[in-house]
Amino acid sequence: MTELEQILSTGTGRRALDRYFAGLIRAPDFAALEAELSALLEEHPSAFAPLCRASVREGVEIVGWERVHADILAMDRKGSRCTALGIDLTGHWEGEGPGFEVSLYDDDSFAFSTASRETLLDACKGYPTPWQGCFAEIETPLECRGLVLLDGAIRAYPDRHTVPSGALPRDYAGFVIALWWLYLRVHQGVADALARHGLPRAMPVLVDEHDFGPQIGGVFMCERVADSAERSAQILAQRAVEKRLAYDRLTEQLILEMREKRAVVRNWSFWRNRAHRRNAIELLEASDKVMFQDVVSTRGQLSVWLLSDREFEMLLDRYREHRRPGSSGKPHPDPGEERTQLHLLFLQHALQFGGRMVQREFPARRGRAA
């Protein structure tokens, strides 16, 4: 058993080693940490070692900074000044390679705008930090390139969350080395990106983790101010267009689902499977009530399946106008094929019990329900 394996064979030893490596990152003394990890790779060959060696600093890039700058501008426009940025390597990322939760903070949770680096390092050396969960905004605009294979191997390691007591799991020492190698490259990547891209204003950047591994508590003081206001404004304008389109598509999806529910009930013969038909009517009327309850001009309105086609179309126009004033007379976006799960269950029920008239109304859905 090597000296490293002896240290890792107890929870106390593992935690002490994590604190030591974290201290080098917080210093920041990246060169010292890389030298130590490189030596340990030689002493502890494992499946992780070649992945670490292939993950060089020059090949790591953290992208998405234009979106971060736009998020800061958006927060400013809401009347809350961003005074610190949090970048957490997250264990909840579902994409390829490491992913990040990016938190925007103001001075309500901590006096970031006047705090020194030493003050911030002291405040985040343990868990929880004074600003834990106190972000003003949180997004996931940053992604890391160049660490996909290493990150995948770390996340797939079966004993990733094991705290050993005695005998170590297979390749455990190699896993710990790889984990800290990934941390090193991520922090180097953030440092390089801040030097290259900067931020809309000088502010501290807190680099840590969320459900990924040991806490680090790294702090960078970003002094580079980016001239990004114009580009950020363009991004926010495009977001507004996309948000409006998504909202209008949702409106049309809700309308389409209501059309389909109405068609089901109107095509379901009253003598066929009457109990199931009653269930369908009750669900339609409940949906009807929820959908139109805030449309003032429809109060006291009959349920949609009792309306004529003309009355139904007039109701839908009023609903569009309620959702977005001025939109009822304009072209409407295609809602696509997406349906809510509850609506799909409704259609499945109708196709099973509603008879041939219902099945003819939804021929494309019939095969899927079967």
Side-chain angles (χ1 to χ4, degrees):
M1 182 177 286
T2 67
E3 185 174 0
L4 175 62
E5 290 169 334
Q6 290 177 352
I7 292 172
L8 294 176
S9 65
T10 67
T12 301
R14 169 67 195 275
R15 288 187 290 272
L17 184 71
D18 288 340
R19 285 193 299 271
Y20 173 69
F21 286 155
L24 293 178
I25 287 179
R26 285 158 56 86
D29 194 344
F30 296 148
L33 179 56
E34 183 157 358
E36 296 215 26
L37 293 176
S38 296
L40 291 172
L41 283 177
E42 297 297 328
E43 297 173 20
H44 301 87
S46 72
F48 294 100
L51 300 178
C52 292
R53 295 191 182 97
S55 303
V56 297
R57 180 171 186 170
E58 293 74 17
V60 175
E61 183 182 15
I62 297 176
V63 299
W65 295 96
E66 280 192 339
R67 297 192 295 273
V68 172
H69 292 189
D71 291 338
I72 292 173
L73 176 59
M75 182 173 163
D76 289 348
R77 287 181 174 181
K78 293 177 183 177
S80 179
R81 183 177 175 82
C82 178
T83 56
L85 192 69
I87 302 176
D88 288 337
L89 182 63
T90 178
H92 304 282
W93 179 250
E94 296 181 357
E96 284 193 340
F100 304 94
E101 296 170 4
V102 179
S103 302
L104 278 61
Y105 298 98
D106 55 26
D107 277 4
D108 286 349
S109 57
F110 195 85
F112 293 109
S113 60
T114 57
S116 66
R117 183 172 184 274
E118 290 70 25
T119 298
L120 291 167
L121 282 171
D122 185 63
C124 64
K125 66 182 179 183
Y127 183 87
T129 61
W131 51 84
Q132 188 73 36
C134 297
F135 48 80
E137 303 285 345
I138 185 168
E139 303 289 345
T140 55
L142 293 178
E143 297 179 29
C144 186
R145 296 174 181 170
L147 294 173
V148 172
L149 295 179
L150 181 59
D151 175 68
I154 288 171
R155 291 198 285 177
Y157 183 62
D159 294 293
R160 177 182 176 186
H161 299 293
T162 298
V163 179
S165 178
L168 297 178
R170 179 181 177 84
D171 275 350
Y172 188 77
F175 159 73
V176 173
I177 298 167
L179 178 61
W180 284 98
W181 192 278
L182 180 76
Y183 275 167
L184 169 65
R185 291 293 184 244
V186 164
H187 280 74
Q188 289 173 326
V190 171
D192 294 344
L194 291 175
R196 186 181 312 118
H197 301 287
L199 291 172
R201 67 178 63 96
M203 67 177 71
V205 179
L206 318 165
V207 187
D208 216 311
E209 61 77 41
H210 177 215
D211 292 341
F212 191 91
Q215 186 196 15
I216 311 104
V219 177
F220 297 102
M221 304 301 284
C222 180
E223 300 294 340
R224 181 185 175 104
V225 177
D227 182 15
S228 58
E230 183 177 353
R231 177 57 183 151
S232 293
Q234 292 172 352
I235 292 173
L236 294 184
Q238 181 60 34
R239 284 183 187 175
V241 171
E242 293 169 355
K243 183 178 181 180
R244 176 170 180 158
L245 179 58
Y247 183 82
D248 289 344
R249 279 179 177 158
L250 176 59
T251 298
E252 295 307 311
Q253 179 187 333
L254 295 172
I255 287 174
L256 184 56
E257 290 185 2
M258 185 57 68
R259 286 188 191 281
E260 292 180 346
K261 287 187 178 73
R262 178 176 182 267
V264 162
V265 172
R266 289 171 70 88
N267 282 280
W268 193 324
S269 300
F270 76 91
W271 63 80
R272 183 177 299 279
N273 294 317
R274 294 177 66 183
H276 291 297
R277 180 175 181 268
R278 184 70 246 166
N279 289 339
I281 291 173
E282 289 176 354
L283 195 149
L284 168 61
E285 291 180 343
S287 301
D288 182 343
K289 183 177 181 180
V290 170
M291 184 168 174
F292 300 119
Q293 64 181 346
D294 293 328
V295 183
V296 176
S297 59
T298 65
R299 288 175 182 170
Q301 180 77 59
L302 293 173
S303 182
V304 295
W305 70 283
L306 297 172
L307 299 177
S308 69
D309 290 347
R310 180 175 177 275
E311 290 171 328
F312 180 57
E313 292 303 322
M314 290 176 62
L315 172 62
L316 295 182
D317 279 343
R318 290 200 297 271
Y319 179 69
R320 289 189 180 99
E321 188 68 18
H322 172 75
R323 292 268 294 174
R324 184 184 297 287
S327 65
S328 62
K330 296 180 180 179
H332 313 304
D334 184 350
E337 291 296 316
E338 187 173 351
R339 303 288 189 275
T340 60
Q341 190 61 39
L342 179 60
H343 183 68
L344 293 176
L345 290 173
F346 176 90
L347 292 182
Q348 184 178 5
H349 173 87
L351 291 169
Q352 183 176 356
F353 298 109
R356 291 182 180 178
M357 292 293 289
V358 173
Q359 292 169 0
R360 286 177 188 151
E361 186 71 21
F362 301 96
R365 294 279 174 188
R366 185 179 179 183
R368 300 180 202 177

